[in-house]
Amino acid sequence: SSSLGRSVGLLRLLALGHGTSCRWGSQFNVPPSAQFTARPVGICSMMKLPVQVSAEGLNAAFVGVPLDTGTSNRPGARFGPRHIRAESAMVRRYNSSTGAAPFDSLRVADIGDVNVNLYNLPDSCRLIRESYQRIVASSCVPLTLGGDHTITYPILQAVAEKHGPVGLVHVDAHTDTSNRALGEKIYHGTPFRRCVEEGLLECSRVVQIGIRGSSYDPNPYQYCWDQGFRVVLAEECWMKSLVPLMGEVRKQMGDKPVYISFDIDGLDPAYAPGTGTPEIAGLTPVQALEIIRGCKGLNIVGCDLVEVAPMYDVSGNTALLAANLLFEMLCVLPGVKTM
């Protein structure tokens, strides 16, 4: 009886934040501390948070979309969500650099994965769209673990259905505004052209950062410029802080809804080799943090981190970097307080 009482007491202690009370006395979900629970223990959820079957009652939710049917080169991003979750065990509760305390501010959980159709890309898009319609209908902000970049198209269909055309902060090596490949209009190189065609984006509030690489077209950025996108080439980012750029981006975005889409290949493959279409001479992790932290104060209605293909990085560093970037996205959501 005494042993049972001690066990119940310990479980309650763990559930309430492992002996550390929230500054605001809240009872939100919090990642377990490795001081009390060994990191390899438990279900492999994002940051070891509780798992829910829906977004009901949540302010923000981590959700996986394990799809790579839209890849044009190396497959494997279907395993991105699983590995990002595994590496996220290293991410702790507070952001010591910015002071953000997301788990003292928002109710957050992992709501699992969208059950995609690996044999039918259009049908997967339907399944994703319908899943995200339910998420955003509950006033929950989705933080998505991809998956290839095709998934952003149906996600934005659902997000724009609620919020109207959104601004976009898009970090990537590629603009993803192609029209067709092998006769198909839906794959990971076309999501933002499809979004433009359907009026999902407010084009004057779209910025694409880190763009680079060779091309099949002598004017590869013309379509983006014609739409009014701001295209920030990787060369414009070399050897400098991106804090001034993000000051301009915040003014451009204003107070209207903004979506963040971060392709891990926006980073140099020296830092993130685990991706399907790597391009040399990309952004650094420091610049990635400057971009995401520079979105603080924006009306962010959704985020994604896509194109992690873990089998091309046996160290796990790409997935670890992705997990940290998703945590940083959580930290800049509206309503997050500081310590």
Side-chain angles (χ1 to χ4, degrees), residues 231-301:
V231 180
V232 182
L233 302 180
E235 290 92 328
E236 300 175 52
C237 303
W238 289 348
M239 312 296 285
K240 67 176 66 170
S241 167
L242 300 187
V243 171
L245 168 66
M246 293 312 297
E248 297 172 4
V249 169
R250 286 194 299 275
K251 292 180 182 178
Q252 181 180 355
M253 296 297 158
D255 59 1
K256 292 189 286 187
V258 176
Y259 187 89
I260 300 173
S261 187
F262 200 116
D263 187 325
I264 201 69
D265 73 24
L267 298 180
D268 192 274
Y271 306 106
T275 191
T277 50
E279 302 283 0
I280 67 165
L283 304 177
T284 69
V286 170
Q287 290 174 318
L289 293 182
E290 289 178 328
I291 292 169
I292 297 173
R293 292 176 182 177
C295 291
K296 178 68 175 176
L298 295 180
N299 182 13
I300 300 166
V301 295

Side-chain angles (χ1 to χ4, degrees), residues 50-162:
V51 177
Q52 291 190 190
V53 296
S54 78
E56 291 297 326
L58 299 177
N59 304 115
F62 292 106
V63 53
V65 185
L67 180 73
D68 62 4
T69 314
T71 52
S72 58
N73 189 37
R74 303 188 301 194
R78 67 181 65 183
F79 301 112
R82 184 179 302 174
H83 285 256
I84 293 169
R85 285 183 172 111
E87 296 297 337
S88 74
M90 276 298 296
V91 186
R92 302 168 185 88
R93 177 176 171 182
Y94 295 108
N95 191 321
S96 302
S97 298
T98 67
F103 302 106
D104 291 349
S105 312
L106 306 176
R107 188 168 293 279
V108 188
D110 188 325
I111 60 171
D113 294 335
V114 176
N115 187 19
V116 294
N117 183 344
L118 295 177
Y119 312 121
N120 186 320
L121 192 53
D123 190 49
S124 283
C125 288
R126 176 189 64 82
L127 292 166
I128 296 165
R129 181 179 65 253
E130 292 175 355
S131 295
Y132 278 78
Q133 286 170 334
R134 292 189 291 271
I135 294 169
V136 299
S138 66
S139 298
C140 175
V141 177
L143 297 125
T144 302
L145 293 64
D148 74 56
H149 222 151
T150 310
I151 70 174
T152 305
Y153 166 46
I155 292 172
L156 283 174
Q157 286 179 317
V159 169
E161 185 177 308
K162 177 170 183 176

